[in-house]
Amino acid sequence: MADIGSDHAYLPCFLMKNGHILFAIAGEVAKGPFQSAERNVSTQGLSANIAVRLGDGLDVINPDEVDCITIAGMGGSLITEILERGKEKLHSVKRLVLQPNINAIVIRKWFLENSWELVAEEIIEEDGKIYEILVAERGNPKRPYGQNLEADLLFGPYLVRFQPEAFKKKWTAEKKNWLRIYNMLEQASETEETIEKKQELLTKIRLAEEVLSDEDS
Ligand SMILES: C[S@@+](CC[C@H](N)C(=O)[O-])C[C@H]1O[C@@H](n2cnc3c(N)ncnc32)[C@H](O)[C@@H]1O
């Protein structure tokens, strides 16, 4: 596997030590984190199986070298930019495991447009932070989606069905925040921009109300 934006290379080290993988690349674009990864891999005696490489996105991967890519701890837009720019490196890749800090919707849309089927989603809370994880494999990109594509793309087709505790917590807080911004914009002088922003917020607030109340009923 290749872990892109690996920082300390904690994930490849964990996977290797627990026997989940045979070989990993820990890719980093920044010198400091790259050096931390090198140090960590070496002190754990994993240098023979984990290659730490300095480079931008998927540039650190040679063709056909890995069948799984993980990218965690960045925004959804940056993650999709990395995948889009490195498309030719994805030929041998069977699985993507992505953990966007924000904007998971951008990744779900990218999957739809690029023939990746979202096969699983997780949402977990740890130390007061909520993490969303998306797993995709090659397949039918439309399969996970139901009637309400807009809601499924925003909230996640699997997560919206099962609504774990962290899901309810995240979207209840987001809805509250959208409402707060909406009310602030109501006070501001009206421009084309504020009208558009209010409409966008209102759509999201209504979608959140719909899916969260679905679960309550
Ligand atoms: C917040 S850290 C996340 C580290 C780790 N993946 C995690 O989830 O804990 C994001 C890391 O991605 C790296 N990064 C950002 N853009 C990158 C790119 N285009 N290619 C490789 N690494 C990148 C940053 O240098 C940083 O170390």
Side-chain angles (χ1 to χ4, degrees):
M1 58 88 76
D3 184 37
I4 304 301
S6 199
D7 202 354
H8 293 80
Y10 288 145
L11 181 57
C13 288
F14 173 87
L15 295 172
M16 188 64 70
K17 281 179 134 180
N18 288 280
H20 295 297
I21 54 169
L22 299 170
F23 166 74
I25 298 164
E28 250 300 331
V29 76
K31 205 88 187 266
F34 165 74
Q35 286 165 342
S36 305
E38 274 197 317
R39 216 169 22 244
N40 202 20
V41 167
S42 148
T43 52
Q44 295 196 50
L46 297 171
S47 300
N49 303 82
I50 301 178
V52 182
R53 297 180 188 163
L54 184 64
D56 190 351
L58 308 193
D59 290 355
V60 295
I61 305 172
N62 294 316
D64 300 335
E65 211 176 8
V66 296
D67 59 15
C68 176
I69 292 177
T70 59
I71 312 180
M74 304 175 203
S77 301
L78 179 55
I79 292 176
T80 47
E81 270 167 44
I82 289 173
L83 295 171
E84 187 63 35
R85 208 176 62 76
K87 256 183 180 170
E88 82 282 4
K89 300 288 177 63
L90 293 177
H91 292 311
S92 62
V93 176
K94 298 191 176 96
R95 179 178 291 175
L96 298 170
V97 182
L98 309 174
Q99 184 265 300
N101 288 340
I102 52 165
N103 254 336
I105 185 173
V106 179
I107 295 180
R108 293 191 189 98
K109 283 181 179 167
W110 188 87
F111 287 158
L112 257 184
E113 287 156 11
N114 290 278
S115 301
W116 285 90
E117 180 178 328
L118 183 65
V119 294
E121 292 175 310
E122 281 276 1
I123 188 163
I124 52 167
E125 183 173 3
E126 193 179 84
D127 295 335
K129 282 193 184 157
I130 291 178
Y131 299 92
E132 233 173 307
I133 301 145
L134 314 185
V135 183
E137 292 175 356
R138 298 200 180 270
N140 175 0
K142 292 188 184 150
R143 200 194 315 263
Y145 297 99
Q147 299 283 325
N148 194 345
L149 183 63
E150 203 180 7
D152 278 355
L153 285 170
L154 181 61
F155 303 108
Y158 300 99
L159 298 176
V160 83
R161 240 175 275 159
F162 298 110
Q163 305 219 359
E165 263 323 296
F167 175 94
K168 286 186 219 160
K169 195 167 170 181
K170 175 187 165 107
W171 292 110
T172 304
E174 290 280 3
K175 191 183 83 175
K176 209 168 147 191
N177 193 38
W178 293 333
L179 263 170
R180 188 183 57 78
I181 302 169
Y182 182 88
N183 288 332
M184 266 166 52
L185 290 175
E186 281 273 88
Q187 311 299 319
S189 48
E190 207 164 71
T191 64
E192 231 174 81
E193 213 182 347
T194 59
I195 293 171
E196 202 178 303
K197 185 73 197 165
K198 277 198 304 188
Q199 192 48 53
E200 184 197 312
L201 286 164
L202 210 54
T203 305
K204 291 203 285 192
I205 291 163
R206 285 197 181 127
L207 283 174
E209 274 167 358
E210 233 172 77
V211 304
L212 292 167
S213 69
D214 269 3
E215 170 67 8
D216 293 341
S217 58

Coordinates of all heavy atoms in Angstrom, one line a residue, residues 1-16 21 23-41 44 46 49-58 60-61 68-74 78-79 82 97 99:
M1 N 0.8 -1.2 0.0 CA 0.0 0.0 0.0 C 0.9 1.3 0.0 O 2.1 1.2 0.3 CB -0.9 0.0 1.2 CG -0.3 -0.1 2.6 SD 0.2 1.6 3.3 CE -1.4 2.2 3.8
A2 N 0.3 2.4 -0.4 CA 1.0 3.6 -0.3 C 0.1 4.6 0.6 O -1.1 4.7 0.4 CB 1.2 4.3 -1.7
D3 N 0.8 5.2 1.6 CA 0.1 6.2 2.4 C 0.6 7.5 2.0 O 1.8 7.8 2.2 CB 0.4 5.9 3.9 CG -0.4 6.8 4.8 OD1 -1.5 7.1 4.5 OD2 0.2 7.2 5.9
I4 N -0.2 8.3 1.4 CA 0.2 9.6 0.9 C -0.1 10.7 1.9 O -1.2 10.8 2.4 CB -0.5 9.9 -0.5 CG1 -0.3 8.8 -1.5 CG2 -0.1 11.2 -1.1 CD1 1.2 8.5 -1.8
G5 N 0.9 11.5 2.2 CA 0.7 12.5 3.3 C 0.8 11.8 4.6 O 0.0 11.9 5.5
S6 N 1.9 11.0 4.7 CA 2.0 10.0 5.8 C 2.4 10.6 7.1 O 2.3 10.0 8.2 CB 3.0 8.9 5.4 OG 2.8 7.7 6.1
D7 N 3.0 11.8 7.1 CA 3.5 12.5 8.3 C 4.5 11.6 9.0 O 5.6 11.3 8.5 CB 2.4 12.9 9.1 CG 2.8 14.1 10.1 OD1 4.0 14.4 10.1 OD2 1.9 14.7 10.8
H8 N 4.2 11.0 10.2 CA 5.1 10.2 10.9 C 5.1 8.7 10.4 O 5.8 7.9 11.0 CB 4.7 10.2 12.4 CG 4.9 11.5 13.1 ND1 4.0 12.5 13.0 CD2 5.9 12.0 13.9 CE1 4.4 13.5 13.7 NE2 5.5 13.2 14.3
A9 N 4.4 8.4 9.4 CA 4.2 7.1 8.9 C 3.6 6.1 9.9 O 3.9 4.9 9.9 CB 5.6 6.5 8.4
Y10 N 2.8 6.7 10.8 CA 2.2 5.8 11.8 C 1.3 4.7 11.2 O 1.3 3.6 11.7 CB 1.3 6.7 12.7 CG 2.0 7.6 13.7 CD1 1.5 8.8 14.0 CD2 3.2 7.2 14.3 CE1 2.1 9.7 14.9 CE2 3.9 8.0 15.2 CZ 3.3 9.3 15.5 OH 4.0 10.1 16.3
L11 N 0.5 5.1 10.2 CA -0.4 4.1 9.6 C 0.4 2.9 8.9 O 0.1 1.8 9.3 CB -1.3 4.8 8.6 CG -2.4 3.9 7.9 CD1 -3.3 3.2 8.9 CD2 -3.3 4.7 7.0
P12 N 1.3 3.2 8.0 CA 2.1 2.0 7.4 C 2.8 1.2 8.5 O 2.8 0.0 8.4 CB 3.1 2.6 6.5 CG 2.7 4.1 6.3 CD 1.7 4.4 7.4
C13 N 3.3 1.9 9.5 CA 4.0 1.1 10.6 C 3.1 0.2 11.4 O 3.3 -0.9 11.6 CB 4.7 2.1 11.6 SG 6.2 2.9 10.9
F14 N 1.9 0.8 11.7 CA 0.9 0.0 12.4 C 0.5 -1.2 11.5 O 0.4 -2.4 12.0 CB -0.4 0.9 12.7 CG -1.5 0.1 13.3 CD1 -1.6 -0.1 14.6 CD2 -2.5 -0.4 12.4 CE1 -2.7 -0.8 15.2 CE2 -3.6 -1.2 13.0 CZ -3.6 -1.4 14.3
L15 N 0.2 -1.0 10.3 CA -0.3 -2.1 9.4 C 0.8 -3.2 9.2 O 0.5 -4.4 9.2 CB -0.7 -1.5 8.0 CG -1.9 -0.6 8.0 CD1 -2.1 0.1 6.6 CD2 -3.2 -1.3 8.4
M16 N 2.0 -2.7 9.1 CA 3.1 -3.7 8.9 C 3.3 -4.5 10.2 O 3.4 -5.8 10.2 CB 4.4 -2.9 8.6 CG 5.6 -3.8 8.2 SD 5.3 -4.7 6.7 CE 5.3 -3.4 5.5
I21 N 0.0 -6.0 5.9 CA 0.6 -5.6 4.6 C 2.0 -6.2 4.5 O 2.6 -6.6 5.5 CB 0.7 -4.1 4.4 CG1 1.4 -3.4 5.6 CG2 -0.7 -3.5 4.2 CD1 1.7 -2.0 5.3
F23 N 4.3 -4.7 2.1 CA 5.1 -3.6 1.7 C 4.4 -2.3 1.7 O 3.2 -2.3 1.4 CB 5.7 -3.9 0.3 CG 6.3 -2.7 -0.4 CD1 7.6 -2.3 0.0 CD2 5.6 -2.0 -1.4 CE1 8.1 -1.2 -0.6 CE2 6.2 -0.9 -2.0 CZ 7.5 -0.5 -1.6
A24 N 5.0 -1.2 2.1 CA 4.3 0.1 2.0 C 5.3 1.2 1.6 O 6.5 1.1 1.7 CB 3.8 0.5 3.4
I25 N 4.6 2.2 1.0 CA 5.4 3.5 0.7 C 4.7 4.5 1.6 O 3.5 4.6 1.6 CB 5.1 3.9 -0.8 CG1 5.7 2.8 -1.8 CG2 5.8 5.2 -1.1 CD1 5.2 3.0 -3.2
A26 N 5.6 5.3 2.3 CA 5.1 6.4 3.0 C 5.5 7.6 2.2 O 6.7 7.9 2.2 CB 5.7 6.4 4.4
G27 N 4.6 8.3 1.6 CA 4.9 9.5 0.8 C 4.6 10.8 1.6 O 3.6 10.9 2.3
E28 N 5.6 11.7 1.4 CA 5.4 13.0 2.1 C 6.0 14.1 1.2 O 7.0 14.0 0.6 CB 6.2 13.0 3.4 CG 5.3 13.1 4.6 CD 4.3 14.3 4.7 OE1 4.7 15.4 4.1 OE2 3.2 14.2 5.2
V29 N 5.3 15.2 1.1 CA 5.7 16.3 0.3 C 6.6 17.3 1.1 O 7.4 18.0 0.5 CB 4.5 17.1 -0.3 CG1 3.8 18.0 0.7 CG2 4.9 17.9 -1.6
A30 N 6.4 17.3 2.4 CA 7.2 18.3 3.3 C 8.4 17.6 3.9 O 8.3 16.5 4.4 CB 6.2 18.9 4.3
K31 N 9.5 18.3 4.0 CA 10.7 17.8 4.5 C 10.6 17.3 5.9 O 11.1 16.2 6.3 CB 11.8 18.9 4.4 CG 13.2 18.5 4.3 CD 13.7 18.2 2.9 CE 15.0 17.6 2.8 NZ 16.1 18.6 2.6
G32 N 10.0 18.2 6.8 CA 10.0 17.8 8.3 C 9.2 16.5 8.5 O 9.8 15.6 9.1
P33 N 8.0 16.4 8.0 CA 7.3 15.2 8.2 C 8.0 14.0 7.5 O 8.0 12.9 8.1 CB 5.9 15.4 7.5 CG 5.8 16.9 7.6 CD 7.1 17.5 7.5
F34 N 8.6 14.2 6.4 CA 9.3 13.2 5.7 C 10.4 12.6 6.6 O 10.6 11.4 6.7 CB 9.9 13.7 4.4 CG 11.0 12.9 3.8 CD1 10.7 11.7 3.1 CD2 12.4 13.3 3.8 CE1 11.7 10.9 2.5 CE2 13.4 12.5 3.3 CZ 13.0 11.3 2.6
Q35 N 11.2 13.5 7.3 CA 12.2 13.1 8.2 C 11.7 12.4 9.4 O 12.3 11.4 9.8 CB 13.1 14.3 8.6 CG 14.0 14.8 7.5 CD 14.6 16.2 7.7 OE1 14.1 16.9 8.5 NE2 15.6 16.5 6.9
S36 N 10.5 12.8 9.9 CA 9.9 12.1 11.0 C 9.5 10.7 10.6 O 9.7 9.7 11.4 CB 8.6 12.8 11.4 OG 8.8 14.1 11.7
A37 N 9.0 10.6 9.4 CA 8.6 9.2 8.9 C 9.8 8.3 8.8 O 9.8 7.2 9.2 CB 7.9 9.4 7.5
E38 N 10.9 8.9 8.2 CA 12.2 8.1 8.1 C 12.7 7.6 9.4 O 13.0 6.4 9.6 CB 13.3 9.0 7.5 CG 13.2 9.0 6.0 CD 14.5 9.5 5.4 OE1 15.0 10.5 5.9 OE2 15.0 8.9 4.4
R39 N 12.6 8.5 10.4 CA 13.1 8.2 11.7 C 12.3 7.1 12.4 O 12.8 6.2 12.9 CB 13.1 9.5 12.6 CG 14.2 9.6 13.6 CD 14.3 11.0 14.2 NE 13.1 11.8 14.2 CZ 13.0 13.0 13.6 NH1 14.0 13.5 12.9 NH2 11.9 13.6 13.7
N40 N 11.0 7.3 12.3 CA 10.0 6.4 12.9 C 10.1 5.0 12.3 O 10.2 4.0 13.0 CB 8.6 6.9 12.7 CG 7.6 6.4 13.7 OD1 8.1 5.9 14.8 ND2 6.4 6.5 13.4
V41 N 10.2 4.9 11.0 CA 10.3 3.6 10.3 C 11.6 2.9 10.7 O 11.6 1.7 11.0 CB 10.2 3.8 8.8 CG1 10.6 2.6 8.0 CG2 8.8 4.3 8.4
Q44 N 11.7 1.6 14.3 CA 10.9 0.5 14.5 C 11.4 -0.7 13.8 O 10.7 -1.8 13.7 CB 9.4 0.8 14.1 CG 8.8 1.9 15.1 CD 7.3 1.9 14.9 OE1 6.7 0.9 15.0 NE2 6.8 3.1 14.7
L46 N 11.6 -1.2 10.5 CA 10.8 -1.5 9.4 C 11.3 -1.0 8.0 O 10.6 -1.1 7.0 CB 9.3 -1.0 9.6 CG 8.6 -1.5 10.9 CD1 7.4 -0.7 11.2 CD2 8.3 -3.0 10.7
N49 N 10.8 -3.0 4.7 CA 9.4 -3.1 4.1 C 8.7 -1.8 3.9 O 7.6 -1.8 3.3 CB 8.6 -4.1 5.0 CG 9.2 -5.4 5.1 OD1 10.1 -5.5 6.0 ND2 8.8 -6.3 4.3
I50 N 9.2 -0.7 4.5 CA 8.5 0.5 4.3 C 9.4 1.5 3.6 O 10.5 1.9 4.2 CB 7.9 1.1 5.6 CG1 6.9 0.1 6.2 CG2 7.2 2.5 5.3 CD1 6.3 0.6 7.6
A51 N 9.1 1.9 2.4 CA 10.0 2.9 1.7 C 9.4 4.3 2.0 O 8.2 4.6 1.7 CB 9.9 2.6 0.2
V52 N 10.2 5.1 2.6 CA 9.8 6.5 2.8 C 10.3 7.4 1.7 O 11.5 7.4 1.4 CB 10.3 7.0 4.2 CG1 9.8 8.4 4.5 CG2 9.9 6.1 5.3
R53 N 9.4 8.1 1.0 CA 9.7 8.8 -0.2 C 9.2 10.3 -0.1 O 8.1 10.5 0.3 CB 9.2 8.2 -1.4 CG 9.8 6.8 -1.6 CD 9.3 6.1 -2.9 NE 9.7 4.7 -2.9 CZ 9.2 3.8 -3.7 NH1 8.2 4.1 -4.5 NH2 9.6 2.5 -3.7
L54 N 10.1 11.2 -0.5 CA 9.7 12.6 -0.5 C 9.2 13.0 -1.9 O 9.9 12.7 -2.9 CB 11.0 13.4 -0.2 CG 10.9 15.0 -0.1 CD1 10.0 15.4 1.1 CD2 12.2 15.6 0.0
G55 N 8.0 13.5 -2.0 CA 7.4 13.9 -3.3 C 6.0 14.3 -3.1 O 5.3 14.1 -2.1
D56 N 5.5 14.8 -4.2 CA 4.1 15.4 -4.3 C 3.1 14.3 -4.7 O 3.2 13.7 -5.7 CB 4.1 16.5 -5.3 CG 2.8 17.3 -5.2 OD1 1.8 16.9 -4.5 OD2 2.7 18.3 -5.9
G57 N 2.1 14.1 -3.8 CA 1.0 13.1 -4.1 C 1.5 11.8 -4.6 O 2.4 11.2 -4.0
L58 N 0.9 11.3 -5.7 CA 1.2 9.9 -6.2 C 2.5 9.8 -7.0 O 2.8 8.8 -7.5 CB 0.0 9.4 -7.0 CG -1.4 9.5 -6.4 CD1 -2.4 8.7 -7.2 CD2 -1.4 9.1 -5.0
V60 N 5.3 9.7 -5.9 CA 6.2 8.8 -5.2 C 6.0 7.3 -5.5 O 6.8 6.5 -5.1 CB 6.1 9.0 -3.6 CG1 6.5 10.4 -3.2 CG2 4.7 8.7 -3.1
I61 N 4.9 7.0 -6.2 CA 4.6 5.6 -6.5 C 5.1 5.3 -8.0 O 4.8 6.0 -8.9 CB 3.1 5.4 -6.5 CG1 2.5 5.8 -5.1 CG2 2.7 3.9 -6.7 CD1 1.0 5.8 -5.1
C68 N -3.2 -0.6 -3.0 CA -4.1 0.1 -2.1 C -3.4 1.5 -1.8 O -2.2 1.5 -1.6 CB -4.3 -0.7 -0.9 SG -5.3 0.2 0.4
I69 N -4.3 2.5 -1.8 CA -3.7 3.8 -1.5 C -4.6 4.4 -0.3 O -5.8 4.4 -0.4 CB -3.8 4.8 -2.7 CG1 -2.7 4.4 -3.7 CG2 -3.5 6.3 -2.3 CD1 -2.7 5.2 -5.0
T70 N -3.9 4.9 0.7 CA -4.6 5.6 1.7 C -4.2 7.1 1.7 O -3.0 7.4 1.5 CB -4.3 5.1 3.1 OG1 -2.9 5.2 3.4 CG2 -4.7 3.6 3.2
I71 N -5.1 8.0 1.9 CA -4.8 9.4 2.1 C -5.7 9.9 3.3 O -6.9 9.8 3.2 CB -5.1 10.3 0.8 CG1 -4.5 9.6 -0.4 CG2 -4.6 11.7 1.0 CD1 -4.8 10.4 -1.7
A72 N -5.1 10.4 4.3 CA -5.8 10.7 5.5 C -5.4 12.1 6.1 O -4.2 12.5 5.9 CB -5.6 9.7 6.6
G73 N -6.4 12.8 6.7 CA -6.1 14.0 7.4 C -5.9 15.3 6.5 O -5.2 16.2 6.9
M74 N -6.5 15.2 5.3 CA -6.5 16.5 4.5 C -7.9 16.8 4.1 O -8.8 15.9 4.3 CB -5.7 16.2 3.2 CG -4.3 15.8 3.4 SD -3.6 15.4 1.7 CE -2.3 14.3 2.2
L78 N -8.3 18.6 -1.6 CA -6.9 18.3 -1.8 C -6.7 16.8 -2.1 O -6.0 16.4 -3.0 CB -6.1 18.7 -0.5 CG -4.6 18.4 -0.6 CD1 -3.9 19.0 -1.8 CD2 -3.9 18.9 0.7
I79 N -7.5 15.9 -1.4 CA -7.4 14.5 -1.7 C -7.8 14.2 -3.2 O -7.1 13.5 -3.8 CB -8.3 13.7 -0.7 CG1 -7.7 13.8 0.7 CG2 -8.4 12.2 -1.1 CD1 -8.6 13.1 1.8
I82 N -5.1 15.3 -5.6 CA -4.0 14.4 -5.6 C -4.3 13.1 -6.5 O -3.5 12.7 -7.3 CB -3.6 13.9 -4.2 CG1 -2.9 15.1 -3.4 CG2 -2.7 12.7 -4.2 CD1 -2.7 14.8 -1.9
V97 N -8.6 4.1 0.4 CA -9.1 4.4 1.7 C -8.8 5.8 2.1 O -7.6 6.2 2.2 CB -8.5 3.4 2.8 CG1 -9.1 3.6 4.2 CG2 -8.7 1.9 2.4
Q99 N -9.6 9.5 4.2 CA -10.2 10.1 5.4 C -10.1 11.6 5.3 O -9.1 12.2 5.7 CB -9.4 9.6 6.6 CG -10.0 10.1 8.0 CD -9.3 11.3 8.5 OE1 -8.1 11.2 8.7 NE2 -10.0 12.4 8.7

